[in-house]
Amino acid sequence: YMLLAVPHHVVISDSAADNLADINLVDETKIHLIYNGVNPSSFQPSVNKNDARRVFIQEHVHGLELTSETFLVGCGGRLESIKGHHQLSDAMKLVLKALPNIVLLVSGDGGERYRYENLKQTYPSQVFLLGMLKQNVLAKFYQVLDVFVDPFYQHHGLNTVMLEAVLTGIPIIVKKLASSQT
């Protein structure tokens, strides 16, 4: 009932607009679409990935010994249950156990941080929590990764972290949702 009583709805993706109109029967004239935005000049591929990686690790990831075999997996953003971090942390237990050259770098903070802290207890040389990173450092974070994983699994919106990662030219792993195909 509340959805029908509100005079206007602002959504951030085509799929969210479709959902409101089709499933919740909201009048399309009351739905306003404003896409999430990312400044593309802030998030660009690294010119020299090896140098960028070495510098970033030295400055922000204390205790990580890089080798030529190190494969950096990144995730981040708001570490909240709605974002899928419980599934990712469970999956990473299996990955880290099977593949000792995999290193997980976690950017961000939130209520699910404890999951990664617990994972770090078991795999101290493979899990690093970086906390919230400033925008200019966040761009460098993406640039040094081999892959970025966005564990988001809900059918609404378009995750900003996914946009940022894509702009830096690294491969991403995401669930097939309407927002990840936009």
Side-chain angles (χ1 to χ4, degrees):
Y1 174 75
M2 286 293 287
L3 286 174
L4 300 176
V6 175
H8 296 280
H9 301 270
V10 176
V11 295
I12 59 172
S13 72
D14 294 322
S15 62
D18 293 343
N19 183 301
L20 272 178
D22 297 342
I23 297 170
N24 296 306
L25 305 174
V26 172
D27 180 355
E28 290 182 16
T29 63
K30 294 182 176 186
I31 301 172
H32 307 281
L33 177 60
I34 301 174
Y35 292 110
N36 273 346
V38 174
N39 184 350
S41 65
S42 297
F43 296 93
Q44 297 186 5
S46 174
V47 174
N48 185 324
K49 187 168 187 135
N50 289 333
D51 286 346
R53 181 178 277 202
R54 182 183 44 75
V55 170
F56 183 85
I57 297 302
Q58 286 175 348
E59 293 177 359
H60 302 285
V61 189
H62 307 290
L64 173 58
E65 297 294 327
L66 276 180
T67 71
S68 60
E69 301 297 314
T70 302
F71 189 88
L72 295 179
V73 175
C75 73
R78 283 185 23 238
L79 305 181
E80 300 298 341
S81 60
I82 193 172
K83 298 293 190 172
H85 290 284
H86 53 293
Q87 287 97 338
L88 179 59
S89 61
D90 287 347
M92 287 306 296
K93 287 177 193 174
L94 303 173
V95 171
L96 296 171
K97 181 177 182 178
L99 301 167
N101 66 312
I102 300 287
V103 172
L104 176 63
L105 301 181
V106 182
S107 165
D109 208 351
E112 296 288 291
R113 179 183 171 95
Y114 77 94
R115 293 183 184 280
Y116 297 111
E117 290 171 343
N118 291 343
L119 199 56
K120 183 164 181 59
Q121 292 295 318
T122 307
Y123 301 100
S125 64
Q126 290 177 270
V127 178
F128 295 87
L129 292 99
L130 308 178
M132 295 300 287
L133 299 175
K134 292 181 179 179
Q135 200 76 354
N136 64 324
V137 177
L138 187 59
K140 294 174 184 175
F141 164 75
Y142 292 119
Q143 290 173 345
V144 304
L145 300 175
D146 292 300
V147 67
F148 181 80
V149 181
D150 183 359
F152 189 64
Y153 62 94
Q154 302 282 328
H155 284 282
H156 73 285
L158 178 58
N159 272 355
T160 306
V161 294
M162 184 174 64
L163 294 173
E164 294 167 346
V166 166
L167 285 170
T168 61
I170 62 165
I172 63 171
I173 298 173
V174 298
K175 180 170 176 43
K176 186 177 179 179
L177 300 170
S179 61
S180 63
Q181 298 175 49
T182 300

